[in-house]
Amino acid sequence: MSNSAESAAKRPLRVAIVGAGPAGVYAADILTKSNEVKGGDFEVSIDLFEAYPAPYGLIRYGVAPDHPRIKGIVNALHKVLDRGDIRFLGNVTYGRDLKLHDFRAFYDAVIFSTGAIKDADLDIPGVELEGSFGGADFVSWYDGHPDVPREWPLDAKEIAVIGNGNVALDVARMLVKHADELLATEIPDNVYQGLKNSPVTDVHVFGRRGPAQVKFTPLELRELSHAEDVDIVLYPEDFEFDEASDDAIRSNNQTKTMVNTMTNWLVEEHAEAEEPSSRRLHLHFLHSPVEIYDDAGSGKVAGIKFERMQLDGTGNVKGTGEFIDYPVQAVYRAIGYHGSALDELEYDARRGVIPNEGGRVLDADGNPVPGIYATGWIKRGPVGLIGHTKGDALETIGFLLEDRLTLPPAKNPDPEAIIDLLEERGIEYTTWEGWNRLNAHEAALGAAWSESGASDGVVRERIKVVPREEMIEISRG
């Protein structure tokens, strides 16, 4: 062991985690609770960096505000960070405020957990037309992301959402739901006003495969039926099942539950109620998008063309040569997220990930880069739920623990040194104490609204602050 490595072994291991969403928080938590740390083999000192002034990443800026599991996940993350043994440093952007060599100078190891926030590409004609949107961009808008425009063009009566995952259902539900139903969430005021003025009557969700191959989960599916004054419309011709579908229904309880739920909706014929609802949510299957088109060269979305598909016996689909047009004035593509490249690290553009082996980041020759790790979606791609993220972090931390005696030691491991650098560069970083101030402020906004004469009995737990400058000002006191 070198002298520098020996000296490093006598002090707390300094670890930086870039990205304070669930993946980053879980990695920090797992490291602090590892047997090696709890058993006294070594101490650890962790700084959790976040590009936004507030923590929680995709949970704050990537999940619909009416999602039933948000509160529980946020509470769990809050408990981890509130213990005081993990330092949060927000409003610090990797590649701009701090470079890789900065992290190398102050930390023995760096874990990247930057997630995936861009829309996956949909390569069909017309995707560039006015009224064609990325689902991820819309999610960022309705979640009050500080770096997106405050307004969103909601002037379409008929809308197509392409995708059969949870994000597609979130986008469709937010588009079709009456805005007043969202007041009990933390929805920002500008989002509430935009959705309240929307003239939408019909939202169509299109999936390429059949009902037994959908990628959403029972919880998200059931949420669709909770929207008031919204009929769910399904189509008998879409309920096609091949041998692989039957096997999936028999062997997978989740698939069986979702198919049964949708089949029951189909039988109940919601759309033929005595009092038809003012809005409709249509679920279509076996539709593959071919083209988004405008009207007489207007440059604005006027409709979308699909090819009718059929199952091929394996659960996959093949084209039938039959094409169907739907008149819509907006199209939202929600076919998945895609990770973004990070400065000074290799990047797999096809998969949208940092190349790695089990979380050990690789260089251009495929060799592990000492002291650099990845976890979460930037490691494995945008798939899986919260449970997968925990297991993923466990794997990455396991390799970091294996490597800990051979990590390249930080030149300046003093925890205050990074604070001095941020202040020297004029970076208005935020802290956990600052988040508690912002958290209390958002809760106070909700309480004030609830007590106002306009509340009509609705209780709002909080109202999300949107402008970055305001978030920073409140957080920094």
Side-chain angles (χ1 to χ4, degrees):
M1 186 184 293
S2 67
N3 289 337
S4 57
E6 283 180 14
S7 62
K10 297 175 183 178
R11 59 167 172 78
L13 186 75
R14 289 283 287 148
V15 177
I17 300 177
V18 182
V25 176
Y26 290 145
D29 188 40
I30 289 168
L31 181 54
T32 60
K33 292 178 178 176
S34 65
N35 291 333
E36 291 85 346
V37 172
K38 290 194 326 188
D41 293 0
F42 73 102
E43 295 179 30
V44 65
S45 169
I46 302 173
D47 287 342
L48 185 61
F49 290 87
E50 174 55 58
Y52 310 129
Y56 308 144
L58 200 66
I59 295 301
R60 182 171 168 96
Y61 293 121
V63 181
D66 62 343
H67 195 291
R69 291 180 61 209
I70 279 187
K71 192 179 296 183
I73 296 169
V74 167
N75 288 343
L77 299 178
H78 182 95
K79 286 179 182 178
V80 173
L81 295 180
D82 206 41
R83 294 195 310 247
D85 56 347
I86 300 163
R87 184 166 64 174
F88 172 74
L89 295 170
N91 199 43
V92 181
T93 300
Y94 173 78
R96 184 190 69 195
D97 299 326
L98 293 177
K99 307 280 190 180
L100 187 59
H101 69 266
D102 295 317
F103 284 102
R104 288 288 207 185
F106 298 102
Y107 300 93
D108 306 300
V110 186
I111 303 172
F112 288 91
S113 57
T114 51
I117 60 171
K118 289 185 177 179
D119 283 288
D121 290 335
L122 178 64
D123 188 18
I124 61 172
V127 76
E128 76 290 342
L129 290 172
E130 183 181 338
S132 171
F133 305 107
D137 293 335
F138 182 58
V139 171
S140 292
W141 175 75
Y142 67 58
D143 272 334
H145 192 296
D147 300 332
V148 302
R150 300 286 182 268
E151 307 302 321
W152 189 272
L154 289 163
D155 49 14
K157 288 188 176 182
E158 300 159 301
I159 300 172
V161 178
I162 303 172
N164 252 181
N166 287 338
V167 175
L169 291 196
D170 276 357
V171 167
R173 193 176 68 253
M174 289 295 291
L175 285 166
V176 81
K177 204 169 188 176
H178 290 279
D180 284 353
E181 276 197 79
L182 296 164
L183 280 174
T185 74
E186 61 182 31
I187 186 173
D189 285 334
N190 66 298
V191 176
Y192 168 71
Q193 292 298 334
L195 292 172
K196 188 172 180 62
N197 294 327
S198 169
V200 66
T201 59
D202 293 83
V203 175
H204 299 262
V205 182
F206 295 95
R208 189 169 176 271
R209 298 198 288 170
Q213 288 80 39
V214 295
K215 296 296 185 183
F216 45 75
T217 51
L219 182 65
E220 276 70 24
L221 183 64
R222 285 195 297 270
E223 279 300 299
L224 297 183
S225 64
H226 296 164
E228 295 180 11
D229 190 34
V230 176
D231 286 331
I232 299 174
V233 184
L234 299 106
Y235 298 86
E237 63 270 24
D238 289 346
F239 281 74
E240 178 182 313
F241 302 95
D242 60 0
E243 186 177 339
S245 301
D246 293 336
D247 287 344
I249 294 167
R250 280 194 301 267
S251 62
N252 188 305
N253 284 333
Q254 179 167 298
T255 301
K256 180 179 179 180
T257 296
M258 290 190 292
V259 170
N260 286 343
T261 297
M262 290 186 286
T263 303
N264 288 338
W265 288 348
L266 182 66
V267 171
E268 290 167 10
E269 298 180 351
H270 286 235
E272 295 185 11
E274 290 183 14
E275 291 287 336
S277 299
S278 67
R279 294 179 175 180
R280 289 159 295 280
L281 178 60
H282 307 254
L283 297 180
H284 302 269
F285 304 101
L286 300 169
H287 282 67
S288 181
V290 174
E291 177 188 7
I292 303 169
Y293 56 86
D294 61 0
D295 186 11
S298 67
K300 298 180 179 179
V301 171
I304 183 168
K305 181 190 295 291
F306 291 89
E307 182 177 8
R308 183 82 188 166
M309 310 302 283
Q310 63 183 19
L311 293 165
D312 66 1
T314 69
N316 291 314
V317 291
K318 58 185 178 182
T320 65
E322 176 190 352
F323 295 90
I324 312 169
D325 283 8
Y326 292 86
V328 296
Q329 300 83 50
V331 174
Y332 290 75
R333 55 193 184 277
I335 57 172
Y337 286 97
H338 201 72
S340 302
L342 294 168
D343 286 0
E344 300 180 76
L345 298 176
E346 290 300 310
Y347 177 64
D348 182 339
R350 184 182 63 83
R351 296 180 56 221
V353 299
I354 300 171
N356 68 92
E357 284 183 357
R360 289 183 173 118
V361 170
L362 305 177
D363 63 18
D365 296 322
N367 300 313
V369 181
I372 306 297
Y373 302 86
T375 192
W377 281 4
I378 198 62
K379 168 188 172 183
R380 72 177 189 272
V383 293
L385 304 173
I386 292 294
H388 298 93
T389 302
K390 288 183 178 179
D392 197 44
L394 190 63
E395 179 186 53
T396 295
I397 295 302
F399 283 122
L400 188 154
L401 291 171
E402 274 186 28
D403 301 341
R404 73 181 188 277
L405 297 179
T406 58
L407 295 171
K411 298 180 183 67
N412 190 346
D414 181 353
E416 290 307 306
I418 189 67
I419 301 299
D420 292 342
L421 179 66
L422 293 173
E423 291 182 347
E424 178 186 314
R425 292 181 177 175
I427 298 166
E428 294 183 297
Y429 66 90
T430 60
T431 63
W432 182 246
E433 293 74 19
W435 161 246
N436 284 330
R437 280 193 288 271
L438 179 58
N439 191 26
H441 179 82
E442 292 185 342
L445 292 177
W449 192 95
S450 301
E451 293 167 4
S452 70
S455 68
D456 198 26
V458 176
V459 175
R460 303 192 70 180
E461 290 191 11
R462 65 191 300 120
I463 298 175
K464 191 179 287 184
V465 173
V466 179
R468 181 183 283 264
E469 300 77 16
E470 188 178 347
M471 294 173 69
I472 294 168
E473 182 180 354
I474 295 165
S475 298
R476 289 174 64 88

